[in-house]
Amino acid sequence: MLTKRIIPCLDIKNGRTVKGVNFVNLIDAGDPVVLAKQYAELGADELVFLDISATLEGRKTMREMVLKVAEQVNIPFTVGGGISSVEDVDLLLQCGADKVSINSSAIKRPELVNELADKFGSQCVVVAIDAKQVDGEWIVHLAGGTIPTELNLFEWAKEVEKRGAGEILFTSMNNDGTKAGFANEALAKLSTELNIPIIASGGAGTVQHFIDTFVEGKSDAALAASVFHFGEIPILELKQELNKNNIPVRL
């Protein structure tokens, strides 16, 4: 059985790691390169860096940061934010990133998923989906969760899988930063209906939440930010608890 992955997420704004609740009220959480090195040493399986402001200046900062992170860590890391072309991805991979995450750019131009999968391979392409439950339906949102679209979470996920996405990073906007647990019902549906790995994001607050998303949510990986950044859940202890609950992890 494949091991379940624990992935700290670093949201980057102006070169710093930040954390908010429901996508707002951002506070500083430290230097992303220092945090990345710590997480690699503490047993994280992968890392995700998201440039949440993704301005042109931010993308330049991002390339410099990717180079520095690549020097410090020996685990795979994904970079996202402001990526809209094959050229953008080429630069980030040259700087040392292992995968890229695309979100708004894939919604605006779905062919981008095909282009990236064709050029770099599906294993390199993570499609991030921010969705919010509105009147019982999961609606995909754009631009850091600020703009609702007409897209349904499950239909969109199936489309990007067909186009060559290698993984889905699903963030529940309803759960994000609340520490009330992951959106396991939606995650289980995604995991059942798709054949590619699903990364759970949004809502981690306790060790039990991680257990629940692997068991009930059928998630392949769990991503979290503040519980790791502020030392609330040490990664090694988390993995030991998962192991005790017969959830396969890399120890």
Side-chain angles (χ1 to χ4, degrees):
M1 187 184 284
L2 285 172
T3 56
K4 304 291 188 179
R5 290 168 289 149
I6 299 299
I7 307 176
C9 178
L10 295 90
D11 289 334
I12 312 295
K13 187 170 188 182
N14 303 325
R16 297 289 291 176
T17 309
V18 294
K19 184 59 199 139
V21 176
N22 297 121
F23 286 47
V24 293
N25 302 327
L26 301 177
I27 56 170
D28 189 279
D31 180 319
V33 181
V34 173
L35 282 170
K37 187 169 188 282
Q38 286 174 355
Y39 286 137
E41 289 166 354
L42 292 169
D45 297 295
E46 295 185 22
L47 296 167
V48 169
F49 296 86
L50 298 175
D51 179 359
I52 58 172
S53 44
T55 56
L56 279 169
E57 165 190 48
R59 259 175 262 160
K60 185 166 175 285
T61 311
M62 206 63 176
R63 288 204 293 275
E64 288 163 9
M65 190 205 74
V66 169
L67 279 165
K68 288 178 185 164
V69 169
E71 287 169 2
Q72 298 288 343
V73 307
N74 56 355
I75 55 174
F77 69 100
T78 301
V79 179
I83 295 169
S84 58
S85 69
V86 167
E87 292 72 28
D88 289 343
V89 174
D90 210 14
L91 276 169
L92 290 167
L93 296 181
Q94 281 179 39
C95 290
D98 297 279
K99 308 180 203 178
V100 293
S101 167
I102 56 172
N103 187 335
S104 299
S105 57
I107 295 170
K108 290 172 185 165
R109 200 171 68 80
E111 301 76 32
L112 180 62
V113 181
N114 305 69
E115 290 165 12
L116 297 181
D118 290 346
K119 173 90 195 245
F120 305 108
S122 289
Q123 82 291 338
C124 177
V125 184
V126 180
V127 173
I129 305 176
D130 299 331
K132 189 178 196 174
Q133 204 166 23
V134 182
D135 299 327
E137 188 185 355
W138 284 97
I139 303 296
V140 177
H141 282 59
L142 273 170
T146 54
I147 304 166
T149 69
E150 304 279 304
L151 294 169
N152 168 279
L153 164 65
F154 306 103
E155 297 311 312
W156 175 235
K158 284 178 198 166
E159 179 176 341
V160 296
E161 178 183 34
K162 278 188 192 136
R163 288 181 178 276
E167 288 184 278
I168 300 286
L169 167 54
F170 162 52
T171 301
S172 163
M173 292 172 60
N174 304 73
N175 301 55
D176 180 68
T178 62
K179 298 190 180 175
F182 294 95
N184 290 323
E185 201 174 317
L187 284 158
K189 188 172 178 186
L190 283 169
S191 294
T192 304
E193 294 185 359
L194 277 72
N195 296 307
I196 54 175
I198 307 297
I199 305 167
S201 167
T206 67
V207 169
Q208 189 62 45
H209 292 155
F210 286 89
I211 295 169
D212 291 344
T213 201
F214 291 131
V215 176
E216 294 165 23
K218 300 182 168 61
S219 304
D220 298 280
L223 177 141
S226 57
V227 292
F228 297 143
H229 299 339
F230 304 122
E232 295 162 36
I233 300 179
I235 290 172
L236 185 58
E237 285 177 27
L238 167 60
K239 287 184 151 190
Q240 287 166 340
E241 281 302 312
L242 291 169
N243 191 44
K244 279 184 203 163
N245 283 271
N246 300 315
I247 294 162
V249 288
R250 179 182 67 88
L251 282 168

